[in-house]
Amino acid sequence: MSAWMLIFMATRRRVQGHYDRDTLALFAHAWKINRSPKILLRYAMFRRDLGFTIPQRWVEDFLKVISNFGTRNRWLVLALIAEIRPERLATIPDTWTKGAGLPVLEALNSQEKIQKECCLAEIYLQQEKWRNEFYEWLKSCRSKGVCVVGNSASLRGSGQGSIIDRYAAVIRFNRFESEDTSSFDLGSRIDVWVVSPDYKGHVPDNIRWIVVTGPDMLFRLRNWQFIKIFLDAGKPVLTVPLVVWQKMVSSLEAPPSAGILVLGWINNLLESWDGVTSAGIGTGLTKKGAYHITDCRHRAVSRHHWLREKDLIRDWQAEGLNIIPICKST
């Protein structure tokens, strides 16, 4: 079988959400029989999907062939290298990072340019500080509770809004309210807004923290334009550490949903479920088949393994995660 047929099979499995050893083996075998730089990049990017940085020996391999890549793929290669050996990019031409719009590559530009633009580079340069501050803030909220509120349609008619709003910290995701939702069910407070990298929609007010979900998106190409408004307003923009993503993928053998990823991160930070509550995450579909509380037409993404996530929530509950019971109001 040809290397490119193996790549086709591996890519199809990736799209379907099979983040497992079988998919990785297809990429690895393709690279073994065809040492094409493009195949190496596909292989490296899937390793990153699993939560692994590139091996040190690949840095030099990529630098030898980087001029053969087109602009977008060159940005991907530079980001992979910057994640483990940023000093190796000190002499790259400025034109290679121009227009990338990627936090780590913005930060590799001159300090003069960073101070002038003061945008995406700040996310990378301040990330460790902001994550430490986020950890301290979560600890301070713990005694009165941290509530992570998903967007499951199962919350409709629950009447849990006032309970949710009493928590010291309320974390919500993407579009969490619409003309079809009620604060009676969902509450209205928000302290942390977790947003997908390609989110397009309403931006809530009075947010304290913004979390961009995914496998540490400092090193991934996405549309960062709407994030700049938060930076201009002095709001910390966090990304989820790669090690947390890796742990969730290993457990699910699939990319985790945002709710599962953030719960896993909070548990990793606080080292227990003490003071942590979940609502509307890992509950599955309602009896009528609805999935998302803000839009009945919104369909569950097939690449997530929803049944395993539901089982994982049950395991976490047995370990101490508090779950707000969804008892339908009458």
Side-chain angles (χ1 to χ4, degrees), residues 223-267:
N223 177 18
W224 290 91
Q225 291 301 313
F226 82 99
I227 292 293
K228 292 181 180 180
I229 63 174
F230 300 110
L231 295 173
D232 291 341
K235 305 291 185 180
V237 177
L238 306 171
T239 62
V240 182
L242 189 61
V243 65
V244 177
W245 174 271
Q246 181 190 42
K247 183 178 180 180
M248 294 300 97
V249 169
S250 177
S251 177
L252 300 168
E253 292 191 326
S257 65
I260 291 293
L261 180 63
V262 169
L263 278 171
W265 186 24
I266 291 173
N267 179 252

Side-chain angles (χ1 to χ4, degrees), residues 89-327:
L89 303 184
T91 60
I92 64 170
D94 289 343
T95 55
W96 283 14
T97 58
K98 185 178 181 180
L102 203 161
V104 65
L105 297 187
E106 290 285 334
L108 289 174
N109 287 328
S110 68
Q111 289 298 315
E112 180 181 351
K113 184 175 181 181
I114 291 171
Q115 292 171 2
K116 180 180 178 181
E117 296 186 357
C118 192
C119 52
L120 294 184
E122 187 178 5
I123 303 177
Y124 176 78
L125 296 171
Q126 299 291 329
Q127 195 60 207
E128 183 177 359
K129 174 177 176 289
W130 286 343
R131 286 177 182 173
N132 289 335
E133 291 173 350
F134 184 60
Y135 164 64
E136 294 296 335
W137 177 75
L138 283 176
K139 283 201 306 180
S140 71
C141 294
R142 193 174 201 166
S143 62
K144 294 184 179 180
V146 175
C147 190
V148 184
V149 187
N151 295 327
S152 171
S154 64
L155 286 168
R156 188 178 300 280
S158 66
Q160 300 293 340
S162 61
I163 294 175
I164 291 171
D165 280 349
R166 285 200 291 267
Y167 283 86
V170 178
I171 301 173
R172 301 183 189 269
F173 300 80
N174 291 320
R175 189 185 182 205
F176 57 87
E177 59 184 356
S178 71
E179 62 278 3
D180 296 324
T181 60
S182 168
S183 60
F184 177 70
D185 298 327
L186 298 176
S188 58
R189 282 196 49 239
I190 178 173
D191 300 288
V192 182
W193 186 42
V194 182
V195 61
S196 60
D198 296 322
Y199 176 80
K200 296 178 181 179
H202 172 70
V203 176
D205 298 322
N206 302 318
I207 305 168
R208 184 163 185 168
W209 307 89
I210 297 89
V211 176
V212 181
T213 189
D216 201 341
M217 301 306 292
L218 294 171
F219 305 92
R220 298 296 291 268
L221 293 175
R222 286 297 185 270
N223 177 18
W224 290 91
Q225 291 301 313
F226 82 99
I227 292 293
K228 292 181 180 180
I229 63 174
F230 300 110
L231 295 173
D232 291 341
K235 305 291 185 180
V237 177
L238 306 171
T239 62
V240 182
L242 189 61
V243 65
V244 177
W245 174 271
Q246 181 190 42
K247 183 178 180 180
M248 294 300 97
V249 169
S250 177
S251 177
L252 300 168
E253 292 191 326
S257 65
I260 291 293
L261 180 63
V262 169
L263 278 171
W265 186 24
I266 291 173
N267 179 252
N268 181 267
L269 285 170
L270 298 179
E271 298 183 327
S272 81
W273 292 115
D274 183 33
V276 181
T277 296
S278 171
I281 297 175
T283 59
L285 300 175
T286 63
K287 291 182 179 179
K288 294 183 179 180
Y291 161 68
H292 202 285
I293 194 166
T294 65
D295 187 354
C296 62
R297 296 168 297 180
H298 193 95
R299 293 292 176 258
V301 179
S302 60
R303 60 199 294 265
H304 297 309
H305 203 309
W306 299 110
L307 290 178
R308 287 183 184 172
E309 292 200 356
K310 191 172 185 178
D311 290 341
L312 186 58
I313 287 289
R314 288 173 179 166
D315 292 342
W316 286 347
Q317 187 175 13
E319 295 171 2
L321 172 64
N322 182 46
I323 305 291
I324 293 181
I326 306 300
C327 300

